[in-house]
Amino acid sequence: MPLLPLLALDRLGATLFERWGKLDMLVGNAGLLGVLTPLAHVDPKEWNRVMAVNVTANWRLIRSMDPLLRASGAGRVAFITSSVGHRAPMRAYWGPYAISKAAMEALARTYAVETAGTGTTVMVANPGALRTKMRAQAFP
């Protein structure tokens, strides 16, 4: 993911603050499957791209939106995940995606603990199998 969209996430919070002063709900739903291949064959650029979308973008959203969610007094945050991040046994060749989803879930759980008692509620939701382009890519 190029740096510019990530920087735009950083500016988004300030823009929303200027307009509304708070944020009642945030849904982290971006996801990138990446290449299905053995871990030893993953290109570093591909690894970074998957981590940027699935983990780093969600962290930047938290950084940018946290003050707005707290200002709401009843902010709600939902991160969309997949069973691949915690399934046992793991799927072979799904390394970057599975690892990034596990990291995103840890990010969400950490944020949930850090916002306990503030009125902000954080959840991780797994909607199950959905008919999406990503699913078609994973299961042609």
Side-chain angles (χ1 to χ4, degrees):
M1 175 178 243
L3 185 59
L4 241 90
L6 291 175
L7 294 176
L9 292 176
D10 294 341
R11 292 190 309 267
L12 183 59
T15 302
L16 292 174
F17 178 78
E18 288 173 12
R19 180 133 188 196
W20 289 291
K22 67 176 185 164
L23 181 65
D24 294 326
M25 177 145 198
L26 171 65
V27 177
N29 188 39
L32 183 64
L33 178 63
V35 177
L36 301 180
T37 191
L39 277 173
H41 297 184
V42 176
D43 180 78
K45 286 183 182 179
E46 180 67 8
W47 174 273
N48 290 338
R49 192 170 74 101
V50 171
M51 294 300 158
V53 171
N54 297 354
V55 184
T56 305
N58 285 304
W59 166 68
R60 286 182 103 125
L61 277 172
I62 288 170
R63 284 183 68 232
S64 185
M65 302 303 158
D66 178 66
L68 295 163
L69 290 160
R70 290 175 190 257
S72 169
R76 300 293 180 256
V77 183
F79 291 102
I80 307 304
T81 192
S82 163
S83 63
V84 176
H86 57 267
R87 171 181 294 166
M90 297 299 293
R91 285 188 183 274
Y93 313 123
W94 285 59
Y97 182 74
I99 293 163
S100 70
K101 285 299 183 176
M104 187 275 300
E105 289 182 20
L107 175 81
R109 285 191 306 272
T110 301
Y111 187 53
V113 171
E114 291 176 354
T115 57
T118 68
T120 300
T121 302
V122 181
M123 67 177 279
V124 175
N126 178 1
L130 298 172
R131 189 178 214 169
T132 64
K133 287 183 182 181
M134 185 188 307
R135 185 157 181 85
Q137 179 188 352
F139 301 103

